[in-house]
Structures are given as structure tokens and as C-alpha cells.
Amino acid sequence: MRAFPINYCTRRKQVLLLLCCLVILYGFKLHVEDDVQFNFININGNEKCEIPKVNPFDESILPFFWKPNPIVCSENTELVYIDDDEMIHINKNRTKGKHIECYYQSVIRKEQSDDKILFGTSVWFNESRSAMMESDFAKVVCVFEGKNIYERLHYHIKKKQKYFKSDNDSFSVLLFGVDSMSRLAAIRELPKTLTYLEKHLALMFLMVIQK
């Protein structure tokens, strides 16, 4: 059987050509996917860092800016609700004169785990007798003529009975951060909220937090 000699020089050229093609394709892919890129540097390396003032309504970002449709609330209200005083009630507008009994059980984390929970003691209430919510999360069950007609998880923020007393010698500053939204996105998406915060609560942006 005759063996053909291998031209190593040709093989190297082929491998080099293949690598060049891959690099070109990768660069083209980055260029197509990342049309908008901002690289901010200070020409003088000895100067302090300068935070760029980016226009939140720049033409490059507007194609990605859209407004969702308004939320349409259901006309059917919940059978059970929690008021601002942390009392849980039965909605009389939904019972239609029927005698309905409900109870809630506090949701308790077992062994400080997010995967293991326990339900607390049942606390009963009805139309004429409400109950105090003792936890942030609770399972609520309502019964009519011996049958469960309602079972749902309710939640609210339990008020902590701890108040901070301020005087002239201490700071009184509230730092409020919205981690799920950048400053520029907030300017586009929450104009009314920002106007209220600036007008009534002396809002001051931390410019270094650009996200």
C-alpha cells in the first residue's frame, strides 16, 4: 500500500486560516449584538473620576423603551382582606347574607429554612368578629355548610413596634433604594413618583449609582 507524504506547511496554513475566520466571525457577532457601547475614560489619569451625564431619552435607547398597558383590576373583590390596622375581615359584600366562618394559620419557617414550613394554630373569625394578624404570611380557609369554599395565602407587612427618636444632634436621613431599576430607567418609567419625592421629600440622587 502506497503512503502519501504529508505537507505540514500546507496543514499549518489551513489551521491558521481557520483560526482567522473564527476570530473574524466572533468580532462580527459582537459588533452586531452590541450596537450601542459607551466607554467613558478620563484622558488625564491623575484627575478624579467624572460621572458621565447620559441622556435617559437618547435616540439609541428609545427603540427599547415601551409602556405596558394599564392594569385592569378585577371587579370581583377578595372574600377576605386585611386592613391598615392589621385586622383580617370577611368582605360582607361577597357573602350575600350567607353565614361563613374563616380561619387563618400563620406560616412559620421551620429550622430557618425556606423549604420547610409549619402552620400555626387556627384563629377563627367571621362577619361579626374579626381577628388580628400576627404574622406576615398566613393561610386563610373559609367554610360554608361544612365545605371549604376559599383557601388562599394572604400576606402583609407586620408593623414593628419600634420607633426611632431623632433630635438636633443626630442625623435624620432616609436612604431609599430601588435595586430593580436604574436611575435612568426611573426617570423614564416613574416621572410622577420622582416628582413627588423631589417636591415633598427633598429627594437627592446618588449619581454614582448608575447601574
Side-chain angles (χ1 to χ4, degrees):
M1 184 175 181
R2 183 180 178 183
F4 293 93
I6 300 176
N7 191 333
Y8 290 101
C9 183
T10 303
R11 179 63 60 84
R12 289 180 180 177
K13 291 181 179 179
Q14 292 175 346
V15 173
L16 182 60
L17 180 61
L18 178 61
L19 291 176
C20 291
C21 292
L22 292 176
V23 171
I24 293 174
L25 289 175
Y26 181 72
F28 178 76
K29 180 175 180 294
L30 292 179
H31 177 73
V32 172
E33 291 184 351
D34 300 328
D35 292 334
V36 180
Q37 292 185 354
F38 295 99
N39 294 319
F40 300 99
I41 60 175
N42 197 325
I43 298 177
N44 189 346
N46 296 323
E47 292 292 331
K48 63 181 180 180
C49 179
E50 296 181 2
I51 304 301
K53 295 182 179 180
V54 182
N55 181 10
F57 298 97
D58 189 84
E59 294 182 357
S60 61
I61 195 64
L62 290 183
F64 305 97
F65 173 59
W66 59 279
K67 289 187 177 181
N69 296 326
I71 298 176
V72 180
C73 298
S74 174
E75 296 181 357
N76 296 324
T77 55
E78 292 283 355
L79 178 61
V80 174
Y81 68 94
I82 304 170
D83 63 17
D84 294 335
D85 295 324
E86 302 184 350
M87 299 294 293
I88 186 168
H89 309 269
I90 293 180
N91 188 352
K92 297 180 180 180
N93 295 328
R94 293 292 308 278
T95 59
K96 298 180 180 179
K98 299 177 181 178
H99 181 69
I100 297 176
E101 294 279 344
C102 300
Y103 68 87
Y104 80 83
Q105 293 176 289
S106 298
V107 178
I108 304 171
R109 293 174 61 186
K110 183 180 179 181
E111 301 174 358
Q112 297 300 316
S113 172
D114 292 332
D115 301 322
K116 299 178 181 179
I117 62 172
L118 296 173
F119 292 108
T121 305
S122 299
V123 179
W124 287 87
F125 59 98
N126 52 37
E127 290 187 24
S128 59
R129 185 183 71 256
S130 301
M132 173 68 72
M133 278 285 293
E134 298 295 343
S135 62
D136 293 337
F137 299 89
K139 183 181 75 170
V140 180
V141 178
C142 293
V143 181
F144 176 68
E145 294 183 348
K147 296 181 180 180
N148 290 355
I149 61 171
Y150 182 92
E151 182 173 347
R152 191 163 299 179
L153 179 68
H154 282 257
Y155 55 90
H156 80 305
I157 299 177
K158 182 71 176 175
K159 297 178 182 178
K160 304 296 182 181
Q161 300 300 322
K162 183 178 180 181
Y163 301 96
F164 173 75
K165 294 182 179 180
S166 177
D167 52 47
N168 295 331
D169 297 328
S170 61
F171 292 104
S172 180
V173 178
L174 176 63
L175 182 64
F176 181 76
V178 183
D179 187 61
S180 60
M181 180 174 290
S182 67
R183 182 181 65 86
L184 299 179
I187 294 174
R188 292 189 295 266
E189 303 283 355
L190 305 174
K192 294 182 180 180
T193 302
L194 295 184
T195 300
Y196 177 85
L197 294 175
E198 291 174 344
K199 184 177 180 180
H200 299 282
L201 300 179
L203 170 69
M204 181 179 66
F205 275 117
L206 299 179
M207 298 299 295
V208 295
I209 304 180
Q210 296 286 344
K211 197 172 180 181

